[in-house]
Amino acid sequence: MSEDVQQLNLFEFAAEPSQPAGPVLNGMYYERSTDMFVSFVLGRRHYQEPAKGCPHMKEWQERIKREKAI
């Protein structure tokens, strides 16, 4: 047998999960490139609907487009 056996610590990398580069998105946003309202949950795309024909109130749509455009 070989004398240079190395034992690995399997828990070394599990101590702290990697942090995302930017802020994690939560909530409803307006995506300019696709002209859609997109819902994000913990940074993952959850739901989307087209801006054209959106059933939400016009005031809400305008506020989201102004304040939360990505």
Side-chain angles (χ1 to χ4, degrees), residues 19-54:
Q19 298 295 324
V24 176
L25 297 178
N26 275 317
M28 202 67 151
Y29 292 84
Y30 174 69
E31 192 173 53
R32 285 185 222 130
S33 62
T34 61
D35 192 32
M36 298 184 105
F37 291 104
V38 183
S39 170
F40 284 91
V41 177
L42 297 176
R44 298 187 68 155
R45 184 182 292 255
H46 179 68
Y47 174 77
Q48 63 186 21
E49 61 184 39
K52 187 175 183 179
C54 179

